Amino acid sequence: MKNIIMWIRSLIFCVVFYLHALLVMGGLLWTFVMPRKTMLFVPRWWCIGNRFLLRWIVGIKVEIKGLENLPKKQGYIVASKHQSAMETALLHMMVPNTIYVLKQSLLFLPIAGLYFIKTGCIAIDRDKGSASLKKMLEISQKRLKDGFNIIIFPEGTRTKPGSKPNYHSGISLIYKQCKVPVVPMALNTGCFWPKNSFKRIPGTATFQFLPPIEPGLDKNVFMETLQDQIESHSNELLKPLANK
């Protein structure tokens, strides 16, 4: 019976989630006349609404730890573990002035793609290799200088909780070139909103911002430090769930 209720709640959530996105983003298209930074309140409101829907439809509470680790000076990078669509659906309410590094194909999503373009998200065409990396670096420098904060998923795609990590070098290039703090972020969201699954599982999803890695480290030292911080803390967040 519990399973049936969970599937029904998951179905209701999926329907309401997309209707909510359509209502907020579609209804506020007029904000495109506003400056880029000003209209970021739209995705922020969307994320706040998503947190409410997760809590009251499928029973997923959202716990946010370590907000004090976000630098006070704007223009930093958050390097996040990526297990679920929950990251995209919630991070705008946690990190101010946020833009994402994302796949270029996401720019073609109905309505959402327009917001990605308008807010200045950094789109990557993986087929273009070094040319795409060069463009990413150029845009990243400009966005950071303009006071935006960049969220990047170093693994490039969603991974299952506890799976072997595969961090790409793009984050180290931005770190070296832009010389700004990188805040690692651990999480356990894949246990509640699994990759490629319709199911939404009740519980407490945790996002944990870790102390920033300051500029100046060697590339290899930076990558080792980043991966160790994200993976070790993400695995710690999984331990209490493994016993349930």
Side-chain angles (χ1 to χ4, degrees), residues 36 74-77 99 101 120-122 133-150 170 172-180:
R36 178 175 289 159
Q74 300 299 297
Y76 55 84
I77 298 166
I99 59 171
V101 175
C121 286
I122 305 164
L133 284 175
K134 183 180 178 182
K135 182 181 176 184
M136 177 185 73
L137 288 173
E138 290 174 355
I139 300 174
S140 296
Q141 282 184 306
K142 186 176 187 311
R143 297 288 184 267
L144 291 165
K145 188 177 179 180
D146 289 342
F148 289 92
N149 303 310
I150 295 174
S172 65
L173 295 174
I174 299 178
Y175 169 78
K176 181 179 179 181
Q177 190 83 13
C178 298
K179 296 180 175 58
V180 296

Side-chain angles (χ1 to χ4, degrees), residues 73-137:
K73 183 180 178 182
Q74 300 299 297
Y76 55 84
I77 298 166
V78 174
S80 174
K81 187 71 180 169
H82 196 17
Q83 294 179 351
S84 164
M86 202 185 298
E87 286 84 88
T88 310
L90 293 177
L91 282 178
H92 266 288
M93 74 176 191
M94 304 177 203
V95 183
N97 301 327
T98 307
I99 59 171
Y100 290 92
V101 175
L102 44 75
K103 295 183 293 185
Q104 191 173 46
S105 59
L106 294 177
L107 299 182
F108 300 100
L109 288 174
I111 303 180
L114 296 175
Y115 280 92
F116 290 144
I117 294 168
K118 171 62 180 179
T119 55
C121 286
I122 305 164
I124 302 298
D125 185 349
R126 293 172 181 170
D127 295 332
K128 291 188 177 178
S130 59
S132 186
L133 284 175
K134 183 180 178 182
K135 182 181 176 184
M136 177 185 73
L137 288 173

Side-chain angles (χ1 to χ4, degrees), residues 40-58:
L40 279 171
F41 79 87
V42 178
R44 180 175 174 81
W45 281 5
W46 177 64
C47 289
I48 292 170
N50 290 337
R51 185 179 188 178
F52 178 86
L53 297 178
L54 284 166
R55 174 68 181 93
W56 297 108
I57 297 179
V58 290

